[in-house]
Amino acid sequence: MKKHLVIVESPAKAKTIEKYLGNTYEVMSSFGHIRDLPKKNLSIDVKNNFEPTYQISAEKQKIVNGLKKSTKSAQDVWLASDEDREGEAIAWHLCEALGLDPKKTKRIVFHEITKPAISHAIENPRTIDINLVNAQQARRILDRLVGYELSPVLWKKVRPGLSAGRVQSVAVRLIVEREREINDFKAKDNYKVTANFVASNDEFVSELNAKFDTDENTRRFLKDCIGAKFTVSKIDKKPGTRSSGAPFTTSSLQQEAARRLGYSVKQTMTLAQRLYESGHITYMRTDSTLLSNQALAEAKSYITSKYGAKYHNQRQFKTKQSNAQEAHEAIRPTNFSNQNIAGDEGQNKLYKLIWNRTLASQMSNAELARTEVSIKISSRPELFISKGEIVIFDGFMKVYGRKGEDVILPELTLNQSLKPKQILGRQTFSKPSARYSEASLVRQLEELGIGRPSTYAPTISTIQTRGYVEKKDLEAKEREIKVLSLINEKIEESTEIDNYGADRAKLVPTPLANVTTDFLTKHFAPIVNYDFTAHAEKDLDLIAEGSEKWVDMISKFYSSFHKLVEKSETVSRKESTQTRELGVDPSTKKPVFARYGRYGPMLQRGEVTDEDKPTFASLPENTTLDNVTLEDALEMFKLPRDVGKTDEGELITSNIGRFGPYIKVGKTFVSIKTLDPLTITEKEANKLYKEKKKEIDNKYIKVFKGGIKVVNGPYGPYVTNGKRNVKVSDDKKAESITEKEAKELLLQAPIRKAPHRRKKAKARAKK
DNA sequence: CAGTGAGCGAGCTTCCGCTTGACTT
């Protein structure tokens, strides 16, 4: 008997759906898009109505062949890709590739993988919505035009191999601008005053409702407090509530997993993918906070039976993002009764987070009792305020959120008089905006409507691999703060060391990002504007409604965009590399420039047109192209410098290179991480050189004929012939390996494939 | 993991969004 063929996007989904549909249906998967614009060139005929040329990519050919075969033997075909722009396009591409008539082939959609949803879908087929397909084509073509016309401009004007795009260039811009904001930030200081009172043997803290701008004013306040009377002037008790957050979307899951578990967005997505494939959670790339009716009902029964009806509060959270497509449910457990799952530690932690969050979203608000006590000072108008908070009913906090650390104030009565044990006035500084983490950048992009759940993690990777952004731990800086204290009616002043600015895994822009962003914001402002995507989305909506033609939208965009591309050709290299003349070197009478070079920021002395070639030097540490001075630069031109001689009488020189400061003896380079090449002494240099020599002597455990070596590598000993590397197994002693054994090991070595080739191609490109 | 930076010109690079594995180090 011929079966009905249903095609979905995800193979994991296919398995589940097949179970629900029974054996008269065969469910197959397209593994996402099956056709796309070829990578090697633009593949858009801009002179012929932007006609795109699509191609089935090599890795999808097999899948398409399989689908074709099943199509031929099937009774009919049902296209069940996701209900969004991309899903509609996938359905249309499937028609094109499988030879189906888009006007006749059945198209079905479901937002959730539950039996009722699937039955409902099967009963209500429609045909492909070509307007929605065209909106996707417009999106695709727009992105290709921007990416493939803008990137080559950067190759010419900034550096080969760079990339620019509607999403990534804005992501980089956000990071560049945040860093500049932080650098320009001037911290303001003021004085925060706290008092420790004692009542019925309990000590509690109170904070003054005013801050002082100077230490003098703080001192005056403390002085006024000597001999003053402190009385409770107001006790305000009121109830409060706290409510749970919405179930997870991709973006909120990435943020919470980073905050609570310390995962990178990539780690989170890999773990979630495993959980999805093993059937523990629903789809992990979603922008919706909605739960299926089935999930709502299951949560209800689980919560009522486990915690009692009082804890249940059924709720559906509206998705806030305006561009959300809501093709899927929120990320939730597929079965609430699974509190734990079989899987590694990472999967378990992430699962638990999802389980807790989903359940909490269906639980009651927490109820709190809040108390605010005001304490009057007889000699001053300000008030000391103490706040207490007690959890009366924990509600959702039973499973999610901080376990409400109660702040309990002692029993106080109106007009009660209090004695301060101590009053402190502490200098505090205002803080600049925080640097972006991976997750907070995703949140910002989502807020701007830029990027999709499936691209957040790859975008974060791209901007790092292109060298625009680095993930860094930032060390704390120290500053002195003043502390004024009033104890036993005596005022004392002291200083404390305040460690500030320490931060983990934050995104920091490189000089390349600064140069590129400045270039793009100056010459391609419309593309890197924060609302470019939002405007484009409005047009895409019009196309999807059928009230605008996609070719009109693209053609309108392209005519203005392409003009910018043409105009950018006239931008001088001097401008695009941000060349700045620092002054003239008094000894050579040549001009000194700071600019962005082939390998990063650099200094140049003399012009290219000079008879003798210009000389180059690195930027001194802790300076940038914007703030480096002529004096700084002249110091750098003292390099390379003769440091002295080794014990064997060889010359030692010092310099700064691509990988930082180094000393050089013959052909041996030694990094000097903390020392300054301008001041390093002969003695220091010799010590480092000897250590390096020892390391080199230890590197080769054995050297055989024909270039075969046993090498002490960073991951343990390995055998190499220069082409292939084989790890020496742990049970073997590297020192005892014979030439014969080494040869045998090399024969077993795997041939390095694609990633290796790619690396080589990159290396070639650099040259 | 190697110590540059001009300019010449070969041939290369590049986008965003859907999906999974197969790569290593």
Side-chain angles (χ1 to χ4, degrees), chain A residues 86-282:
Chain A
E86 299 298 325
E88 204 67 17
I90 288 173
W92 178 76
H93 280 296
L94 281 167
C95 287
E96 297 276 307
L98 302 177
L100 306 166
D101 183 352
K103 292 200 178 91
K104 286 182 193 151
T105 308
K106 294 191 187 83
R107 166 87 171 109
I108 54 168
V109 293
F110 22 77
H111 301 247
E112 47 185 68
I113 311 301
T114 57
K115 191 154 188 188
I118 289 163
S119 311
H120 181 79
I122 291 285
E123 282 156 25
N124 297 284
R126 55 174 175 87
T127 52
I128 285 177
D129 178 352
I130 197 68
N131 289 331
L132 195 53
V133 173
N134 285 337
Q136 192 275 346
Q137 296 203 86
R139 197 281 305 156
R140 180 68 191 94
I141 289 164
L142 174 81
D143 283 336
R144 173 53 72 95
L145 289 170
V146 170
Y148 274 44
E149 290 214 355
L150 214 42
S151 301
V153 173
L154 295 181
W155 302 344
K156 270 187 252 164
K157 300 295 176 187
V158 182
R159 178 165 137 179
L162 292 178
S163 62
R166 174 177 58 84
V167 174
Q168 59 170 286
S169 295
V170 174
V172 173
R173 181 181 182 184
L174 282 165
I175 293 166
V176 165
E177 288 187 346
R178 177 60 56 86
E179 193 69 22
R180 286 182 176 161
E181 198 185 309
I182 292 168
N183 288 335
D184 294 345
F185 181 79
K186 301 254 180 326
K188 287 197 189 98
D189 69 322
N190 56 27
Y191 287 77
K192 188 176 145 184
V193 181
T194 56
N196 289 40
F197 291 105
V198 181
S200 40
N201 292 327
D202 281 327
E203 196 174 318
F204 66 96
V205 186
S206 210
E207 194 177 310
L208 198 71
N209 65 354
K211 284 178 177 170
F212 299 113
D213 51 357
T214 62
D215 54 343
E216 285 140 62
N217 289 340
T218 313
R219 183 184 290 275
R220 186 169 309 137
F221 172 81
L222 292 180
K223 216 170 154 190
D224 289 346
C225 285
I226 298 174
K229 281 188 190 130
F230 298 86
T231 39
V232 175
S233 58
K234 196 172 157 196
I235 300 175
D236 203 7
K237 288 193 178 179
K238 53 187 170 193
T241 59
R242 205 174 286 165
S243 54
S244 118
F248 282 132
T249 60
T250 302
S251 153
S252 61
L253 177 67
Q254 287 172 349
Q255 287 156 46
E256 282 292 274
R259 210 161 65 84
R260 291 173 179 248
L261 308 173
Y263 295 161
S264 69
V265 296
K266 194 179 168 187
Q267 269 177 303
T268 298
M269 293 315 284
T270 309
L271 291 169
Q273 176 86 31
R274 298 281 163 275
L275 291 171
Y276 167 66
E277 281 165 10
S278 46
H280 294 307
I281 61 168
T282 54

Side-chain angles (χ1 to χ4, degrees), chain A residues 3-18:
Chain A
K3 287 190 180 184
H4 305 286
L5 175 64
V6 178
I7 304 175
V8 297
E9 291 181 37
S10 152
K13 210 189 256 181
K15 259 198 288 181
T16 320
I17 294 171
E18 196 154 43

